[in-house]
Amino acid sequence: MQSFITDTLDTILKTTQTFEEVEFILPSQRAGVFVKQALKNKIKTGFLPRISNIGDFIEEVSGINKADSVQLLFHFYSIYKKEEPKADPFDVFSSWAFTVIQDFNEIDQHLINAREIFVYLRDIHRLRKWSVSGTFQETELMKDHFAFMERLHKLYELFYEFLVDKNIGYQGVIYREAVKKIDDFIPTKTSKKYFFIGFNALNAAEELLFQKMLAAGNTEVYWDIDKAFYESNHQAGSFIRKYKTRWKHYQNNPIETIAEHFAATKNIQVIGASKNITQIKYAGEILSTFSNYNNTALVMADESLLPITLNSLPPKVDAVNITMGYPLKDVPTTSLLQIIFRLFLNQEKLQKKESQLFYYKDVIALLKHPSIYQLLYIEDENISDVLSEVIVESNSTFVSLEKIEKFFIQIPEKTKAVVLGLCKPYTNIDEFLSRVITLLLILKDTANELEKEYLYRFYTAFTQLQNLHDTFNYIQDLKTLQQFFKQLIQSESLSFQGEPLQGLQLMGVLETRVLDFENVIITSVNEGILPGNHQQTSFIPFDVKLEFGLPTYKEKDALFSYHFFRLLQRAKNIYILYNTEHDVFGSGEKSRFITQLEMMRNDIKEEIISPKIITTVTEEKEISKTEDVLERLKELAEKGISPSALTNYLYNPFSFYKQKVLKIKEFDDVEETVAANTMGTVVHDTLEALYKPFEGKFLTLSNVTMMQQKTKELIVFYFSKHFKNGDISTGKNRLIFEVANRFVINFLKQEKELLKDEANQLKIIATEQTLAAHIQVDGLDFPVKIHGQVDRIDQLNGVTRIIDYKTGKVESANLKVIDFEGVRELKFHKAIQVMLYAYLYTQNKQYDFSKPLEAGIFSFKNLRKGFLKMNFSSNYRTPDNNVTQERLEEFMSEIKEYIKEIYNPEFSFVEPTDLKY
């Protein structure tokens, strides 16, 4: 394939025999590598020309070095503080200063008269606040904004003068100074020959510099444009058509480098894919069909998909050259540094700085981060695992430094000093930065080659930040430092260095400038990505930009149009992929560039693809009953099955197997917010403590009044017992505490209302009584023990009541049972529990069924309904609440069937596929 580079070199070699005094100037440094390789294949002996990118050339002309954005920000704040009587604090300043510097940059790059545009902006704002009646009301915010716009020009002038004096600057300063010095620069380079290769969209400063160089007679410009775009009205050729019309040089000289490759026969496929992951995976499938990748480029319009892409390349791709940066925000070291910031910021936020306590999640996250975790091994045991278990066991929401230090005794001193040093109080930002830098140096000792690249990138960034802080001392708190860190990882990337001339080329759209490939795959060709959206962060409105000739989204669209179509000019096999889905990850609308391409050619193949869906039958989780399982079940029969265990089996036999056969407990975690079961336990224990002294006695109004006085004290006591080290004084836990307290208060109120009627006699028989009974099940040669703890047994006006407390909501319908064969349903599981309690009570007490017996629930979330009783009547108007001997026998015959099923080897433990929860 004849590329633009080889075409251009062939043209140059016709008139240039030696390259000793020749300089090639290219849009990017990467293109220079390909130019050198092409030249080596074309010339046998001799010097190579000097190869520069446009940035280096402009710096050479201007004599000013480019400064990075963070350094510029510190210098700008110094000037701003001197000029502004009421200067914003540094963290507020940094939130808008980057935008201002970007506006300054555009103004300088396009050689706009700064005074004119800032006066124009000032006048616009003055008009906005002008009023005929003079009644315009300015808020403080508006006053600040207007005052800021009034002084913007003064800030620009002072900043510009400062940078020029220091010989540093942002790109716009370098361009403006280069324009001022170009007339002095050209006479010193009369013996040199300059070739500008592969440019397209130029800013006003570049246009002027190019024209000056062309007028000097020792410069040639080689544009990369196809006839299809140049001679039509196509957006991709708009910039070069403008130069042809406006530049004096082209009034008498033609543009000789117009090629005609786009019209050639090509294999072009436009592929719509659902979701980003699908298009990236399909790109991998396309690559797997290629025999080699030496002339293949995978171009990513959305560079954030790089991590997914690297994991989707086919195994046969043995060499990849990544011509884009890997975002720092995706680097593992970033998460570690964010944890360190969060450790102290949460300490301040939760007001634990004075007591030097850390939020337990931050401590565990720090110690379990892979970079730290690997440093904490003592033989086969890891300190972070041991500490995590202790934190959970003690239910410590906050952890002290002293507690952490106890576990670090056997860790090597060097590691101990660094890791524990991270948690110690810091006196100033400089000390904090030193800690982070020391940590990065320690981590490099155990890091692999790739991790060392990450660490070195952060080491240089934090060292620079420390130097700037030492010089300026503008960062006064950790929150401001964290903001800087966020800005750094959002805008910076880790550059990859590979062999650019071998293997698959993985690149962004802008990196394709000047380069040509035979096989091109472009992903994410959607509106809003290629071209990008129209949002521009700027203090200069759109209409003002038009008035002064500053670039808007229109120029940006034209630029990306050029890059897209230029990439297709010489390619033979082109695969264009876009996302078809309308979601947060994209508009789902294919790019206008695809539509334009379809209108220009009639040989495009289009298809919509979707992932291959392999239907799999969901297999139920099933465990057969082996001899070992049956032996464990026999042990369970001796130990006893509780009503809750039985209902658990009825709901999910597989869960019953895990809990009762395998004895697997749920994973313990720190109970930061009071769990529902903890609140239930507190309410149960409080009621037991209140009613226990009255067992065997009739309850009186005065008894309940006395209980009411003890309620809050008991609630506090049982919360401290079951919610270890938990704080119930604030937040959600305070609300849960108040709810638990209200549950008990409302229940006692209801008891008082009952006892106000002197005809009511309430005798407390027992509270939290443990009952057990052995039953014989057909087919089993051993008895099965049923046991449970009844919350309360009392006698109201001669009727014995079996009572279960529920802090959740229970309806009367849950306790209405006509036919016991249907109680297996989930809604009747609470009825099973209270009926089993009734059975256990009657068996233990040899109950006389000539006396009435009732069983039911007090639901604290449905307390207005009072005592919810078992109801055996089909007529809702005439309930039947009496638990008779016949009903208990009928109920137990059904329960025995369930138990027989548990012990039947033919019935496996199967997890239902339609579980509600």
Side-chain angles (χ1 to χ4, degrees), residues 533-578:
N533 59 45
H534 296 165
Q535 292 178 353
Q536 290 193 10
T537 307
S538 173
F539 283 104
I540 305 173
F542 177 78
D543 53 344
V544 177
K545 287 191 172 188
L546 285 179
E547 176 67 24
F548 282 88
L550 285 171
T552 63
Y553 69 85
K554 293 181 179 180
E555 284 73 24
K556 186 179 177 183
D557 288 359
L559 173 64
F560 277 98
S561 176
Y562 169 79
H563 289 313
F564 175 78
F565 286 101
R566 194 213 66 79
L567 190 58
L568 311 184
Q569 285 173 195
R570 293 173 176 81
K572 292 181 180 177
N573 300 302
I574 301 162
Y575 303 88
I576 301 169
L577 292 95
Y578 66 94

Short mmCIF file of all heavy atoms in Angstrom, two decimals, residues 533-578:
data_model
loop_
_atom_site.label_atom_id
_atom_site.label_comp_id
_atom_site.label_asym_id
_atom_site.label_seq_id
_atom_site.Cartn_x
_atom_site.Cartn_y
_atom_site.Cartn_z
N ASN A 533 -19.70 15.93 21.61
CA ASN A 533 -20.85 16.78 21.89
C ASN A 533 -20.46 18.26 21.79
O ASN A 533 -19.29 18.60 21.64
CB ASN A 533 -21.45 16.47 23.27
CG ASN A 533 -20.44 16.66 24.39
OD1 ASN A 533 -19.71 17.65 24.42
ND2 ASN A 533 -20.39 15.70 25.31
N HIS A 534 -21.45 19.13 21.86
CA HIS A 534 -21.23 20.56 21.62
C HIS A 534 -20.97 21.35 22.90
O HIS A 534 -20.95 22.57 22.87
CB HIS A 534 -22.45 21.15 20.90
CG HIS A 534 -22.64 20.57 19.52
ND1 HIS A 534 -23.81 20.71 18.80
CD2 HIS A 534 -21.80 19.85 18.74
CE1 HIS A 534 -23.68 20.11 17.63
NE2 HIS A 534 -22.47 19.57 17.57
N GLN A 535 -20.79 20.65 24.01
CA GLN A 535 -20.54 21.36 25.27
C GLN A 535 -19.13 21.93 25.27
O GLN A 535 -18.17 21.22 24.95
CB GLN A 535 -20.71 20.41 26.45
CG GLN A 535 -22.15 19.95 26.64
CD GLN A 535 -22.28 18.97 27.79
OE1 GLN A 535 -21.30 18.54 28.35
NE2 GLN A 535 -23.50 18.60 28.12
N GLN A 536 -19.02 23.20 25.61
CA GLN A 536 -17.72 23.84 25.71
C GLN A 536 -17.64 24.58 27.04
O GLN A 536 -18.49 25.41 27.33
CB GLN A 536 -17.49 24.81 24.55
CG GLN A 536 -17.32 24.10 23.21
CD GLN A 536 -16.78 25.02 22.13
OE1 GLN A 536 -16.36 26.13 22.40
NE2 GLN A 536 -16.80 24.55 20.90
N THR A 537 -16.62 24.25 27.82
CA THR A 537 -16.43 24.93 29.10
C THR A 537 -15.63 26.19 28.83
O THR A 537 -14.45 26.13 28.49
CB THR A 537 -15.67 24.02 30.08
OG1 THR A 537 -16.36 22.77 30.16
CG2 THR A 537 -15.59 24.64 31.44
N SER A 538 -16.30 27.33 28.96
CA SER A 538 -15.64 28.60 28.63
C SER A 538 -16.42 29.75 29.24
O SER A 538 -17.64 29.66 29.45
CB SER A 538 -15.56 28.77 27.11
OG SER A 538 -15.07 30.03 26.77
N PHE A 539 -15.70 30.85 29.54
CA PHE A 539 -16.36 32.07 29.98
C PHE A 539 -16.76 32.95 28.79
O PHE A 539 -17.40 33.98 28.97
CB PHE A 539 -15.43 32.87 30.91
CG PHE A 539 -15.33 32.31 32.29
CD1 PHE A 539 -14.22 31.59 32.70
CD2 PHE A 539 -16.37 32.48 33.21
CE1 PHE A 539 -14.13 31.07 33.97
CE2 PHE A 539 -16.28 31.97 34.48
CZ PHE A 539 -15.17 31.25 34.87
N ILE A 540 -16.39 32.51 27.60
CA ILE A 540 -16.69 33.31 26.40
C ILE A 540 -17.90 32.69 25.70
O ILE A 540 -17.84 31.55 25.25
CB ILE A 540 -15.48 33.33 25.44
CG1 ILE A 540 -14.24 33.84 26.18
CG2 ILE A 540 -15.77 34.19 24.22
CD1 ILE A 540 -12.95 33.75 25.38
N PRO A 541 -19.00 33.43 25.58
CA PRO A 541 -20.21 32.89 24.96
C PRO A 541 -20.00 32.56 23.48
O PRO A 541 -19.08 33.07 22.83
CB PRO A 541 -21.25 34.02 25.12
CG PRO A 541 -20.70 34.92 26.18
CD PRO A 541 -19.21 34.81 26.08
N PHE A 542 -20.89 31.72 22.95
CA PHE A 542 -20.79 31.24 21.57
C PHE A 542 -20.80 32.40 20.57
O PHE A 542 -20.00 32.45 19.64
CB PHE A 542 -21.95 30.28 21.29
CG PHE A 542 -22.00 29.77 19.87
CD1 PHE A 542 -21.15 28.77 19.45
CD2 PHE A 542 -22.89 30.31 18.94
CE1 PHE A 542 -21.19 28.30 18.14
CE2 PHE A 542 -22.94 29.86 17.64
CZ PHE A 542 -22.09 28.84 17.24
N ASP A 543 -21.72 33.37 20.75
CA ASP A 543 -21.84 34.47 19.78
C ASP A 543 -20.61 35.37 19.80
O ASP A 543 -20.21 35.93 18.78
CB ASP A 543 -23.12 35.28 20.04
CG ASP A 543 -23.23 35.76 21.48
OD1 ASP A 543 -22.50 35.22 22.33
OD2 ASP A 543 -24.04 36.66 21.75
N VAL A 544 -19.97 35.52 20.97
CA VAL A 544 -18.74 36.32 21.07
C VAL A 544 -17.61 35.60 20.33
O VAL A 544 -16.78 36.22 19.65
CB VAL A 544 -18.36 36.59 22.53
CG1 VAL A 544 -17.05 37.36 22.63
CG2 VAL A 544 -19.48 37.35 23.23
N LYS A 545 -17.56 34.27 20.46
CA LYS A 545 -16.53 33.50 19.75
C LYS A 545 -16.69 33.67 18.24
O LYS A 545 -15.70 33.83 17.51
CB LYS A 545 -16.63 32.01 20.12
CG LYS A 545 -16.13 31.71 21.53
CD LYS A 545 -15.99 30.22 21.76
CE LYS A 545 -15.31 29.95 23.10
NZ LYS A 545 -14.97 28.55 23.30
N LEU A 546 -17.93 33.66 17.76
CA LEU A 546 -18.17 33.87 16.33
C LEU A 546 -17.72 35.26 15.90
O LEU A 546 -17.09 35.44 14.85
CB LEU A 546 -19.66 33.69 16.01
CG LEU A 546 -20.21 32.26 15.97
CD1 LEU A 546 -21.71 32.30 15.67
CD2 LEU A 546 -19.50 31.44 14.90
N GLU A 547 -18.02 36.24 16.71
CA GLU A 547 -17.68 37.63 16.39
C GLU A 547 -16.18 37.83 16.25
O GLU A 547 -15.71 38.55 15.36
CB GLU A 547 -18.24 38.54 17.49
CG GLU A 547 -17.89 40.02 17.36
CD GLU A 547 -18.53 40.69 16.15
OE1 GLU A 547 -19.58 40.19 15.68
OE2 GLU A 547 -17.98 41.70 15.67
N PHE A 548 -15.41 37.15 17.11
CA PHE A 548 -13.96 37.38 17.12
C PHE A 548 -13.17 36.29 16.39
O PHE A 548 -11.95 36.31 16.38
CB PHE A 548 -13.46 37.49 18.56
CG PHE A 548 -13.75 38.82 19.18
CD1 PHE A 548 -14.95 39.06 19.83
CD2 PHE A 548 -12.84 39.87 19.10
CE1 PHE A 548 -15.24 40.29 20.39
CE2 PHE A 548 -13.11 41.10 19.66
CZ PHE A 548 -14.32 41.32 20.30
N GLY A 549 -13.88 35.32 15.79
CA GLY A 549 -13.18 34.30 15.01
C GLY A 549 -12.55 33.21 15.84
O GLY A 549 -11.62 32.54 15.38
N LEU A 550 -13.03 33.01 17.05
CA LEU A 550 -12.54 31.91 17.86
C LEU A 550 -13.24 30.61 17.44
O LEU A 550 -14.40 30.64 17.00
CB LEU A 550 -12.81 32.17 19.35
CG LEU A 550 -11.91 33.21 20.03
CD1 LEU A 550 -12.43 33.54 21.42
CD2 LEU A 550 -10.47 32.71 20.11
N PRO A 551 -12.57 29.47 17.58
CA PRO A 551 -13.20 28.21 17.13
C PRO A 551 -14.38 27.82 18.02
O PRO A 551 -14.36 28.05 19.23
CB PRO A 551 -12.06 27.20 17.25
CG PRO A 551 -11.13 27.78 18.26
CD PRO A 551 -11.21 29.26 18.09
N THR A 552 -15.39 27.24 17.41
CA THR A 552 -16.56 26.73 18.13
C THR A 552 -16.69 25.24 17.82
O THR A 552 -15.80 24.65 17.21
CB THR A 552 -17.84 27.47 17.68
OG1 THR A 552 -18.05 27.20 16.28
CG2 THR A 552 -17.70 28.97 17.90
N TYR A 553 -17.80 24.65 18.22
CA TYR A 553 -17.99 23.23 17.95
C TYR A 553 -18.01 22.93 16.46
O TYR A 553 -17.72 21.81 16.03
CB TYR A 553 -19.26 22.72 18.62
CG TYR A 553 -20.54 23.26 18.03
CD1 TYR A 553 -21.14 22.67 16.92
CD2 TYR A 553 -21.18 24.37 18.60
CE1 TYR A 553 -22.31 23.17 16.38
CE2 TYR A 553 -22.35 24.87 18.07
CZ TYR A 553 -22.92 24.27 16.96
OH TYR A 553 -24.07 24.75 16.42
N LYS A 554 -18.35 23.94 15.63
CA LYS A 554 -18.39 23.71 14.17
C LYS A 554 -17.00 23.35 13.65
O LYS A 554 -16.84 22.45 12.83
CB LYS A 554 -18.92 24.96 13.47
CG LYS A 554 -20.37 25.26 13.77
CD LYS A 554 -20.84 26.50 13.03
CE LYS A 554 -22.32 26.80 13.31
NZ LYS A 554 -22.78 28.00 12.59
N GLU A 555 -16.00 24.09 14.10
CA GLU A 555 -14.63 23.80 13.67
C GLU A 555 -14.17 22.45 14.21
O GLU A 555 -13.44 21.70 13.53
CB GLU A 555 -13.68 24.90 14.17
CG GLU A 555 -13.73 26.20 13.38
CD GLU A 555 -14.99 27.02 13.65
OE1 GLU A 555 -15.58 26.83 14.74
OE2 GLU A 555 -15.38 27.82 12.79
N LYS A 556 -14.60 22.14 15.43
CA LYS A 556 -14.24 20.85 16.02
C LYS A 556 -14.86 19.71 15.21
O LYS A 556 -14.20 18.69 14.95
CB LYS A 556 -14.75 20.80 17.47
CG LYS A 556 -14.31 19.56 18.24
CD LYS A 556 -14.84 19.61 19.67
CE LYS A 556 -14.47 18.34 20.42
NZ LYS A 556 -15.04 18.32 21.79
N ASP A 557 -16.12 19.88 14.79
CA ASP A 557 -16.76 18.86 13.96
C ASP A 557 -16.03 18.68 12.64
O ASP A 557 -15.82 17.55 12.17
CB ASP A 557 -18.22 19.25 13.68
CG ASP A 557 -19.11 19.11 14.92
OD1 ASP A 557 -18.58 18.68 15.97
OD2 ASP A 557 -20.30 19.45 14.85
N ALA A 558 -15.63 19.80 12.03
CA ALA A 558 -14.91 19.74 10.75
C ALA A 558 -13.56 19.04 10.92
O ALA A 558 -13.13 18.27 10.05
CB ALA A 558 -14.70 21.15 10.20
N LEU A 559 -12.91 19.28 12.05
CA LEU A 559 -11.62 18.65 12.32
C LEU A 559 -11.77 17.13 12.41
O LEU A 559 -11.01 16.38 11.78
CB LEU A 559 -11.06 19.21 13.64
CG LEU A 559 -9.79 18.54 14.18
CD1 LEU A 559 -8.63 18.75 13.23
CD2 LEU A 559 -9.44 19.07 15.57
N PHE A 560 -12.77 16.67 13.16
CA PHE A 560 -12.96 15.22 13.30
C PHE A 560 -13.47 14.60 12.00
O PHE A 560 -13.18 13.44 11.71
CB PHE A 560 -13.90 14.91 14.46
CG PHE A 560 -13.20 14.91 15.79
CD1 PHE A 560 -13.25 16.03 16.62
CD2 PHE A 560 -12.46 13.82 16.20
CE1 PHE A 560 -12.57 16.04 17.83
CE2 PHE A 560 -11.79 13.83 17.41
CZ PHE A 560 -11.84 14.94 18.23
N SER A 561 -14.22 15.36 11.23
CA SER A 561 -14.64 14.88 9.91
C SER A 561 -13.42 14.60 9.04
O SER A 561 -13.33 13.56 8.38
CB SER A 561 -15.53 15.93 9.24
OG SER A 561 -15.88 15.53 7.94
N TYR A 562 -12.45 15.51 9.07
CA TYR A 562 -11.22 15.33 8.30
C TYR A 562 -10.47 14.08 8.76
O TYR A 562 -10.06 13.24 7.95
CB TYR A 562 -10.32 16.56 8.44
CG TYR A 562 -8.93 16.34 7.90
CD1 TYR A 562 -8.68 16.41 6.52
CD2 TYR A 562 -7.87 16.02 8.74
CE1 TYR A 562 -7.41 16.17 6.02
CE2 TYR A 562 -6.60 15.79 8.25
CZ TYR A 562 -6.37 15.86 6.89
OH TYR A 562 -5.11 15.63 6.38
N HIS A 563 -10.30 13.94 10.08
CA HIS A 563 -9.55 12.78 10.59
C HIS A 563 -10.23 11.47 10.23
O HIS A 563 -9.57 10.49 9.87
CB HIS A 563 -9.41 12.88 12.11
CG HIS A 563 -8.47 13.93 12.57
ND1 HIS A 563 -7.22 14.10 12.02
CD2 HIS A 563 -8.58 14.89 13.52
CE1 HIS A 563 -6.61 15.11 12.61
NE2 HIS A 563 -7.43 15.61 13.52
N PHE A 564 -11.56 11.43 10.32
CA PHE A 564 -12.30 10.21 10.03
C PHE A 564 -12.15 9.82 8.56
O PHE A 564 -11.78 8.68 8.24
CB PHE A 564 -13.79 10.41 10.38
CG PHE A 564 -14.67 9.25 10.01
CD1 PHE A 564 -14.71 8.12 10.81
CD2 PHE A 564 -15.46 9.29 8.87
CE1 PHE A 564 -15.52 7.05 10.47
CE2 PHE A 564 -16.28 8.23 8.53
CZ PHE A 564 -16.31 7.10 9.34
N PHE A 565 -12.43 10.77 7.66
CA PHE A 565 -12.40 10.43 6.23
C PHE A 565 -10.97 10.27 5.71
O PHE A 565 -10.74 9.48 4.80
CB PHE A 565 -13.16 11.49 5.43
CG PHE A 565 -14.65 11.39 5.58
CD1 PHE A 565 -15.34 12.24 6.43
CD2 PHE A 565 -15.36 10.41 4.91
CE1 PHE A 565 -16.71 12.14 6.59
CE2 PHE A 565 -16.74 10.29 5.07
CZ PHE A 565 -17.42 11.16 5.91
N ARG A 566 -10.02 10.98 6.31
CA ARG A 566 -8.62 10.81 5.89
C ARG A 566 -8.14 9.39 6.19
O ARG A 566 -7.39 8.80 5.43
CB ARG A 566 -7.74 11.82 6.64
CG ARG A 566 -6.35 11.99 6.06
CD ARG A 566 -5.31 12.28 7.10
NE ARG A 566 -5.12 11.16 7.99
CZ ARG A 566 -4.40 10.08 7.70
NH1 ARG A 566 -3.81 9.96 6.52
NH2 ARG A 566 -4.28 9.10 8.56
N LEU A 567 -8.61 8.84 7.31
CA LEU A 567 -8.23 7.49 7.71
C LEU A 567 -8.72 6.45 6.71
O LEU A 567 -8.12 5.38 6.55
CB LEU A 567 -8.79 7.21 9.10
CG LEU A 567 -8.34 5.95 9.84
CD1 LEU A 567 -6.83 5.93 10.01
CD2 LEU A 567 -9.01 5.88 11.19
N LEU A 568 -9.82 6.77 6.01
CA LEU A 568 -10.41 5.81 5.08
C LEU A 568 -9.83 5.92 3.67
O LEU A 568 -10.04 5.04 2.85
CB LEU A 568 -11.94 6.04 4.98
CG LEU A 568 -12.73 6.15 6.30
CD1 LEU A 568 -14.22 6.28 5.99
CD2 LEU A 568 -12.48 4.95 7.20
N GLN A 569 -9.10 7.03 3.38
CA GLN A 569 -8.67 7.31 2.00
C GLN A 569 -7.90 6.15 1.38
O GLN A 569 -8.24 5.68 0.30
CB GLN A 569 -7.81 8.58 1.97
CG GLN A 569 -8.61 9.84 2.13
CD GLN A 569 -7.73 11.08 2.27
OE1 GLN A 569 -8.20 12.12 2.68
NE2 GLN A 569 -6.46 10.97 1.94
N ARG A 570 -6.87 5.67 2.04
CA ARG A 570 -5.99 4.66 1.44
C ARG A 570 -6.25 3.24 1.97
O ARG A 570 -5.64 2.29 1.49
CB ARG A 570 -4.53 5.04 1.70
CG ARG A 570 -4.11 6.31 0.97
CD ARG A 570 -2.72 6.74 1.40
NE ARG A 570 -2.25 7.90 0.65
CZ ARG A 570 -2.59 9.16 0.91
NH1 ARG A 570 -3.41 9.41 1.91
NH2 ARG A 570 -2.13 10.16 0.18
N ALA A 571 -7.11 3.09 2.98
CA ALA A 571 -7.39 1.77 3.55
C ALA A 571 -8.14 0.89 2.55
O ALA A 571 -8.92 1.39 1.72
CB ALA A 571 -8.19 1.92 4.83
N LYS A 572 -7.93 -0.41 2.65
CA LYS A 572 -8.62 -1.35 1.76
C LYS A 572 -9.77 -2.07 2.47
O LYS A 572 -10.82 -2.29 1.88
CB LYS A 572 -7.62 -2.39 1.22
CG LYS A 572 -6.58 -1.80 0.28
CD LYS A 572 -5.64 -2.87 -0.23
CE LYS A 572 -4.58 -2.27 -1.18
NZ LYS A 572 -3.61 -3.29 -1.62
N ASN A 573 -9.54 -2.42 3.72
CA ASN A 573 -10.57 -3.11 4.51
C ASN A 573 -10.96 -2.22 5.70
O ASN A 573 -10.12 -1.94 6.56
CB ASN A 573 -10.06 -4.45 5.02
CG ASN A 573 -9.66 -5.37 3.87
OD1 ASN A 573 -10.46 -5.68 3.01
ND2 ASN A 573 -8.39 -5.78 3.86
N ILE A 574 -12.20 -1.79 5.72
CA ILE A 574 -12.64 -0.81 6.73
C ILE A 574 -13.85 -1.37 7.47
O ILE A 574 -14.85 -1.77 6.85
CB ILE A 574 -13.02 0.54 6.07
CG1 ILE A 574 -11.80 1.10 5.31
CG2 ILE A 574 -13.52 1.52 7.09
CD1 ILE A 574 -12.16 2.15 4.29
N TYR A 575 -13.74 -1.40 8.78
CA TYR A 575 -14.85 -1.88 9.63
C TYR A 575 -15.22 -0.75 10.59
O TYR A 575 -14.41 -0.32 11.40
CB TYR A 575 -14.42 -3.12 10.42
CG TYR A 575 -13.94 -4.25 9.54
CD1 TYR A 575 -12.59 -4.33 9.18
CD2 TYR A 575 -14.81 -5.23 9.08
CE1 TYR A 575 -12.13 -5.36 8.36
CE2 TYR A 575 -14.36 -6.26 8.27
CZ TYR A 575 -13.02 -6.32 7.92
OH TYR A 575 -12.57 -7.34 7.11
N ILE A 576 -16.44 -0.26 10.45
CA ILE A 576 -16.91 0.87 11.27
C ILE A 576 -17.99 0.35 12.21
O ILE A 576 -19.04 -0.12 11.76
CB ILE A 576 -17.46 2.00 10.39
CG1 ILE A 576 -16.37 2.49 9.42
CG2 ILE A 576 -17.97 3.15 11.24
CD1 ILE A 576 -16.88 3.41 8.33
N LEU A 577 -17.73 0.42 13.51
CA LEU A 577 -18.68 -0.10 14.50
C LEU A 577 -19.29 1.04 15.31
O LEU A 577 -18.60 2.02 15.63
CB LEU A 577 -17.98 -1.07 15.46
CG LEU A 577 -17.52 -2.39 14.85
CD1 LEU A 577 -16.07 -2.30 14.42
CD2 LEU A 577 -17.67 -3.53 15.85
N TYR A 578 -20.57 0.91 15.63
CA TYR A 578 -21.23 1.91 16.48
C TYR A 578 -22.20 1.21 17.42
O TYR A 578 -22.64 0.08 17.18
CB TYR A 578 -21.95 2.96 15.63
CG TYR A 578 -23.11 2.44 14.82
CD1 TYR A 578 -24.42 2.50 15.32
CD2 TYR A 578 -22.94 1.90 13.54
CE1 TYR A 578 -25.50 2.04 14.58
CE2 TYR A 578 -24.00 1.43 12.80
CZ TYR A 578 -25.28 1.50 13.32
OH TYR A 578 -26.35 1.03 12.60
#
